[in-house]
Amino acid sequence: MKAGSSSPAKIILFGEHFVVNGNSAIAMTIDLPTIVIAEYTEVENITIASKNLNLEVTFTMNGRIQRSKGVNAEHRLHPIFKMIRSLLHNDKQGLKISIDSRVPIGMGLGSSAAIAVAIISSLATLTGRTMQKDEIFQAAYSLEKQIHGRPSGIDQATVTYGGMIIYRNGKVETRYSELPKLPRIIIGNTGKRRSTGEYVGKVTQLRTDHPQEYARLSNEAQKVAGRAIFALKEGKDQELGALMNENQTLLERIGVSAPSLDNLIVAARTAGALGAKLTGGGGGGCMIALANDTNAATVAQAIQNAGGEVISSQFAKDGVKPIEWNE
Ligand code: PMV
């Protein structure tokens, strides 16, 4: 017997980092799928295979390696083993989990949240449970808390529910399954991998060392997010772009931008983007730019000329969902 689930990826339009301490943030899902297939096996062990990374490891139920294929495979797949282990209640049943993801890893597009929610959802189907979205989100959020310090839960919420969400204090305040009329969003990847936890840690340090300065920047960021929600509803593209630039300045002030990101952001703005900012944890990873239909191609080309990889994707209105089999 086997069961599968598919999850989208995500981008954060406004409010990353400040959302960790209770601010509002706006995020949406994009159609880069992560597909997980879970199946029972006869032998009592857990095999994890990543198709796109060409890795496969079989672990005993206690986490010892039985077989391994691919460079550094044990190290790279062990966090997923730990996640699966903490979700399993039956020690006796062998399992194979196959992952096929189009989301670049560690680039701020929610790859780990996408894998987590797709695993949770496919294991639920495999074991005959119906899990509501709220339960999937809570399970993924608590797994993420075990992995890195103080996540806000925005990645897990976005890829679970799908569409565009306004997120605050561990909750989805509003969800749009249809996109408000938006200018074009271009995603540029610096190709520089980094750890979100490290950058969340940097901001926590700043907040501890300079509480007043942090509070001032956080208030500003909350105002920007509030105005962005309004500009989105009203279809005020110019204003939305200007707010993205303001958001980027605040992210620079809390120390989470990086030369690789600044380079692509400047290139996009110079080519006529309405606005541009980093997306996600910063330090590298991805940036986004807003552009009109008329200059979207020029902005994309400028990002590429500056050394970025343009990730082509569309808005996805669905979050994680089971895959229907035709067999
Ligand atoms: O996982 P990333 O890199 O997309 O970043 C998630 C957003 C942060 O605000 C930086 C962290 C969080 O938990 O909200």
Side-chain angles (χ1 to χ4, degrees), residues 10 12 15-20 107-110 148 150-155 194 196 200 279-282:
K10 69 98 212 348
I12 298 178
E16 52 274 271
H17 282 290
F18 297 102
V19 68
V20 173
M107 297 296 175
L109 299 182
H148 84 76
R150 292 179 60 223
S152 69
I154 189 168
D155 283 16
R194 85 279 106 77
T196 297
V200 171
T279 185

Side-chain angles (χ1 to χ4, degrees), residues 11 58 129 195 234:
I11 52 175
T58 300
R129 281 186 64 202
S195 131
E234 301 284 307

Side-chain angles (χ1 to χ4, degrees), residues 47-187:
T47 298
I48 304 169
S50 164
K51 190 172 170 207
N52 49 303
L53 300 179
N54 203 13
L55 306 173
E56 181 165 329
V57 178
T58 300
F59 296 90
T60 64
M61 290 296 182
N62 317 325
R64 280 201 322 276
I65 315 294
Q66 285 189 323
R67 268 189 309 276
S68 170
K69 187 190 107 185
V71 181
N72 221 354
E74 304 95 84
H75 178 71
R76 292 162 82 188
L77 295 181
H78 195 259
I80 299 178
F81 167 78
K82 267 176 58 188
M83 181 194 300
I84 295 166
R85 203 64 196 83
S86 68
L87 292 166
L88 283 184
H89 304 297
N90 178 359
D91 271 13
K92 301 276 167 243
Q93 182 65 68
L95 205 62
K96 179 170 184 187
I97 300 284
S98 310
I99 304 165
D100 190 2
S101 179
R102 286 195 44 213
V103 193
I105 297 167
M107 297 296 175
L109 299 182
S111 59
S112 68
I115 291 175
V117 301
I119 288 179
I120 292 165
S121 163
S122 59
L123 282 179
T125 314
L126 189 71
T127 52
R129 281 186 64 202
T130 313
M131 252 179 133
Q132 302 302 324
K133 294 255 164 137
D134 291 352
E135 277 181 278
I136 297 179
F137 163 57
Q138 288 304 339
Y141 188 14
S142 66
L143 282 176
E144 185 67 16
K145 283 185 200 153
Q146 291 162 32
I147 296 167
H148 84 76
R150 292 179 60 223
S152 69
I154 189 168
D155 283 16
Q156 293 72 27
T158 313
V159 301
T160 300
Y161 299 102
M164 181 181 280
I165 66 164
I166 300 168
Y167 185 87
R168 190 171 193 183
N169 280 330
K171 285 196 190 67
V172 176
E173 287 191 331
T174 314
R175 173 174 175 267
Y176 305 91
S177 58
E178 297 304 328
L179 206 55
K181 205 191 116 352
L182 259 188
R184 298 274 286 273
I185 301 173
I186 298 151
I187 304 171

